[in-house]
Amino acid sequence: MQRTAASPRRFSGFLAALQATLLISSGAAAPPLQPTQLTDAVPPMAMPEVARSARALATAAYLSEDERKDLRVRHGIWEPSDLDTPGRRARAAAICGRFHDAVFDDASVPAEDRAEGLLGRGDAQAALNALGAATSLRAARQRAQALWDLGRLDDARESLQQTRQTLIDRPLDNAGEIAEAVRAMVILSRLSGDDAAEPGRRSADFKMLMSVLARAREELDRLEPLVYLAEAELLQEKENYSEASDALQQAMELNPRLATGWALLGRLSADSWDFDRALAIAARLDELTRWDGEGEAETHERSVFGAEIASRTYLRMGDPDAAEAALSRALTAAPASRVLLALLPAAAAANFSEDLLADRLAKFDALAPASPDALFEVGSVLSDLRQYADAEKYLSLARERAPKWAAVLCELGLLQVQAGRDEEARRTLEQAAALDPFNTRVANSLTLVTEIATYDRVTSDHFEIRYKPGIDKVLAAEMLPVMEENFARVTGHGPGGIDFVPEGRTVIELYPDHHWFSVRITGMRRVHTIAAATGPVIAMERPMTGPGHSLGPYDWPRVLRHEYTHTVTLARTKNRLPHWFTEASAVYLEDAPRDEGRCTLLTRALETGGLLDFSQINTAFVRPRTPSERGLAYAQGHWMYEYIVTRFGPRAPLNLMDRYARGEREAEAFEAEFSLTRSQFFEQFKLWAREECRKWGTLPPEGVPTVLELLAAARKDAGVPEDSAQFSEPTPELVDEWLQEYPDHPDFVRLAVGFELAERQGEADESMIPMLEKLAKVRPVDHMPHKQLARLYLASTTPEKAIEHLEFLDQREQYLTTYAVELARRYAAAKDFAKAFEKAQRASRIAPFDPSIRELAATVAIQAKDFGAARRHIEALIAIEPDRSVHRKRLEALEKLAQ
């Protein structure tokens, strides 16, 4: 169902950070992002005080020229003339991620500056050799990173023990060294240690690191960018993205060329599905490495950081081919880059290329035999793609190599939560929490599985319902027979059926309020609000009005049929189908007519060129650019699915699913199945869509003028200017004139009805019935004539005539019980108790905790002599209103009546 985004990781301060860095980047700094690179321009803001202080210090007259040059390099505001020594050039090149610079091959460059560039290239052994016996804390961090990159994790851990002891034993008086020590401790936090002391030590270490950073910032040097960068890296390791972004903003205010900060910002953007911004950051990272007039024509390779962010973003977008291309361009200049080489097998995994994946993992292992990096990247990407079994395989292998790296356990635990394996998830997440007690995602997910363990369960052949003990038992008991009906419809081979039965029972978790539902979906990407499916698990919020509930009552049988369709299509395709396609099939199987709002939305998008192409529609579900774009993605996906069924037959979508299951990409599958490229399909779809709009009455018949065209003709005939107020809007007289020539024009008929209603303060009278019936005929998706006609007939001596209009409205209603309740009363008045109970039952499903509707359902059930159904509704009343003794008396009376 249409939902609002909640799954992507959230963070604050990004816009301000981006704007601040762009504003500080003036003069000789790297060029600012162009409008085509950074969408949704950020409002201007003043340069932060701390940045002004840094600039002032870098130009202070009391400093020597060399000191001023060093400060300009530190703060990323150097001029080319400042880079007059190999050391300064190396520091500047490392700051902006220019790792291909030949300066790092110069043995005269200070060891730590040279090692930074060599590490960025991926030359870990050369970095170790360059460091030699260097003893600074920066060297300790670099040495540990080099050992990690070589797969020598035990050596990395041993090398960092002294760094940790240094932080404990003596206060440091250099903010930069403190920052480097903290960055080194982030690496140490991923490595094994003393099991018995681990949980307490890790908690103490985190508090100590935050404390020393605060001292560095507040007492030693508030202008040191690395202090804020170290804090951001530490907080990101804890998955505290909001506070990490705040620290990152401060770091980048102090050094707008800080590529490490830009890269971290890019990772956060990609993780939060802000793809436009992530790709803009990737482009910015590439720009930062171009010096001395270099441009795109001279430098075709991507920077290491730019390629990393671009590839992560493309993998999130489901475009592994683009990720491959980005990686390839950067590997030309940095063929040993560990971060890029770790992402290469992840791209192969996303393309379901098993042989290529195995080959790339083997090559990575040859460089770093015990490194968990590539395995972790592969497992994370496969988990994101809901390839749970394979993802668990690679994450488990990564865990074997780095058993104390909390991020691996966190990803593994979240995978197990999404797969419905709660007990395994709880054990895994408890281990992760012991390793990282401050990790926010771990804490939230552990809270969830602990809560679910207290839930009761009811089962049927194909479903297990989990619910919080108490009032939710009422709904849980009613869900099973409805879900078995949904099972027959969705898995069957009838029109639109998926013709596939997934293994095992599907778990449905019924949450008592929006808070718990939100906790459930926090770790789930690609999902949104009142219900969500991860494959074997469907989560839903209780349909109820009141505090703590986001939406109130809703048509949960329809919602769960939608979500269960995801379960079945994901199973049939091995979780390999495009996002828009799984949503389209789910909307199709809701078996409900398209409402007026969606028809209008689709028509407007078609007429204005606003339909989403294949490069846009998947992202629109999770990162819409406008308030209406997510709704458009659902509606348009359904429309395209309907077109496929109409043109290519009911088996065509299933054939596509089977191609996706075999690992074919969407473009390849479309060409093989339809003999059309996606662009050709899209153009032909739009031709069909226009005809559908004419059937709906949202577009006039072909060759018939529109309102705007006739107004323009009226201005021309009257000889008035185009911008004249005369004939700028239709009048009743003009509409009457137009109707003489075009009596069935849907827009003209609707305008005529609108003018008549305006004269009657919005309420039609009996004289308007013919006009309203005509509007319902020429514009068959319009709700308004049916609402007016239902009201008129209900107030007349022939209320039974309202039924067809109430049915029209009820079929399109998902949240209100109004129409179903009135239909139950109308059918009961006509002594059609079977239909009356059907409508009362529908109302009770939309609002299962509304006692007035339960009373109506029980009454109609008794009239229909369905005493079992009447008992169920009265028992529900007892649970909903336990203090009202009248319900128990009704149950006693029913028992006597049923004897």
Side-chain angles (χ1 to χ4, degrees), residues 485-518:
E485 291 175 7
N486 281 343
F487 168 85
R489 174 69 183 99
V490 173
T491 65
H493 54 267
I498 308 304
D499 198 13
F500 181 86
V501 177
E503 294 182 6
R505 288 191 179 102
T506 297
V507 173
I508 301 174
E509 296 170 350
L510 172 60
Y511 289 99
D513 53 36
H514 190 65
H515 164 73
W516 281 110
F517 178 76
S518 297

Side-chain angles (χ1 to χ4, degrees), residues 186 189-190 232-239 405 407 436 439:
V186 170
S189 72
R190 302 175 179 178
E233 289 178 341
L234 177 61
L235 291 166
Q236 188 218 16
E237 189 77 8
K238 307 300 177 187
E239 302 196 70
W405 190 6
D436 191 350
N439 188 295

Side-chain angles (χ1 to χ4, degrees), residues 704-715:
V704 175
T706 65
V707 172
L708 292 178
E709 289 170 343
L710 287 177
L711 285 172
R715 286 194 295 272

